[in-house]
Amino acid sequence: MCSSDLNGAVKTTSASDLIALLHHRYPPETAREWDRVGLEFGDLSRPVTKVYFAVDVLPQTVEEALDWGADFFIAHHPLFLFELAEPKPGEEIKPIAPWKTKIAERLKSAEIPLLIAHTNADIAHPGVNDALAEALGLINIESMPEGLGRIGEIVRPVPLHKFLEQISRSIPVGVNGVRATGSADQLIKRVALCGGSGDDRLENVQELGVDAFLTSDLKHHRVSEALAAGAPILIDAGHFATEWPWLPQAARLLAEDLEQGGYAPVEMKISEISTDPWRAR
């Protein structure tokens, strides 16, 4: 790791320096066992001056990173997740989609390392879920029992329809907007949340003493069964929208860590391209 030399001069920040700082914030070993986090590819000896942040590694974000002149790409969602995983007995090896190979080659040819912080960023303190809670203005934040998720409070109880308006103003919800179960006039005070897909927590939220659970990717049957079992109000605000607030948080923390470690500052760009696939309604 490089820092100030004996004369006090600040050395150039390398890709390996950057990764060391990011892995300290988001340890790869805390990721879920199925996840693929850390460095996807890239030369760790290269100097870094411009860091690009995006939720997804897609053609449009890669082109934006290249046009901006990025020399390091940080994404939340892995480019290669299940394709490069060891197949289970009886499973076939999943082929890599040609478009993924193409954009990986675009980044490699531009010598841009790609680092993924996914479920390790979800569980981190602060991480994806703290960023979402902060964006919504919640207070008295605590972890959900399983770690992936947070519980917080609205400063003053508000009717559900007002809380949905607050969500729509606070995060990039896209064309699908925000949808919720329950009555528009029900008062909301205590809220559980999970950025990204959180339907695997539906069986547990009724035990948390919350008025609502905010997440994304909720499906009809899962929601119907959870409500029948006593779940609180369920709110779906979209996958991209609930994870995007992590980008500015991660950039801010990285800047702080670089400064505190004596590293050269780097320029950072937070992508505002919406990679929510839903475009019309």
Side-chain angles (χ1 to χ4, degrees):
M1 204 184 270
C2 89
S3 57
S4 300
D5 63 19
L6 295 178
N7 297 319
V10 177
K11 294 183 178 180
T12 300
T13 304
S14 71
S16 62
D17 296 329
L18 216 58
I19 288 175
L21 293 173
L22 291 162
H23 281 182
H24 181 72
R25 284 281 181 186
Y26 315 112
E29 62 269 19
T30 63
R32 292 296 176 93
E33 61 178 10
W34 50 263
D35 204 1
R36 183 178 176 85
V37 302
L39 184 71
E40 291 265 24
F41 48 76
D43 181 356
L44 299 187
S45 66
R46 288 182 56 79
V48 174
T49 60
K50 301 181 78 172
V51 181
Y52 177 87
F53 292 81
V55 173
D56 296 290
V57 188
L58 291 171
Q60 58 267 43
T61 54
V62 169
E63 288 307 312
E64 182 179 58
L66 291 169
D67 290 344
W68 180 62
D71 45 33
F72 199 97
F73 194 125
I74 298 172
H76 184 50
H77 292 146
L79 175 59
F80 304 113
L81 183 54
F82 301 111
E83 295 97 335
L84 299 183
E86 188 71 25
K88 296 178 181 179
E91 283 187 344
E92 295 182 358
I93 296 175
K94 296 177 176 65
I96 297 176
W99 70 266
K100 290 190 176 186
T101 301
K102 182 177 180 180
I103 63 174
E105 290 304 320
R106 290 275 286 153
L107 290 172
K108 289 177 182 178
S109 65
E111 300 184 305
I112 302 176
L114 172 63
L115 181 122
I116 305 300
H118 192 207
T119 53
N120 52 328
D122 291 333
I123 202 169
H125 292 272
V128 170
N129 291 294
D130 302 287
L132 177 57
E134 181 180 335
L136 298 177
L138 301 184
I139 60 173
N140 302 326
I141 308 300
E142 59 187 85
S143 292
M144 288 176 65
E146 65 272 23
L148 283 171
R150 299 290 183 268
I151 301 171
E153 295 180 345
I154 302 172
V155 176
R156 297 181 185 84
V158 295
L160 174 61
H161 70 92
K162 289 292 186 182
F163 185 49
L164 299 183
E165 292 172 4
Q166 179 181 336
I167 295 169
S168 297
R169 290 192 302 267
S170 303
I171 60 176
V173 297
V175 299
N176 270 345
V178 186
R179 55 182 182 171
T181 65
S183 167
D185 295 325
Q186 281 183 260
L187 288 181
I188 307 294
K189 171 68 173 177
R190 186 169 160 84
V191 179
L193 58 83
C194 176
S197 300
D199 70 343
D200 58 342
R201 292 157 187 76
L202 293 182
E203 283 76 19
N204 307 112
V205 291
Q206 62 255 41
E207 303 169 3
L208 300 178
V210 297
D211 302 308
F213 175 48
L214 167 64
T215 187
S216 73
D217 298 344
L218 296 180
K219 297 181 179 180
H220 175 93
H221 294 297
R222 294 279 289 137
V223 169
S224 296
E225 292 175 1
L227 293 174
I233 289 171
L234 302 177
I235 303 172
D236 189 323
H239 198 121
F240 171 83
T242 56
E243 293 181 330
W244 185 89
W246 173 71
L247 302 182
Q249 180 201 70
R252 174 177 55 82
L253 293 174
L254 179 57
E256 292 174 3
D257 290 343
L258 285 167
E259 182 179 6
Q260 291 174 5
Y263 302 105
V266 301
E267 192 175 351
M268 302 190 195
K269 181 176 180 62
I270 298 156
S271 178
E272 295 186 358
I273 294 175
S274 174
T275 49
D276 186 334
W278 306 110
R279 296 296 178 186
R281 57 175 298 171

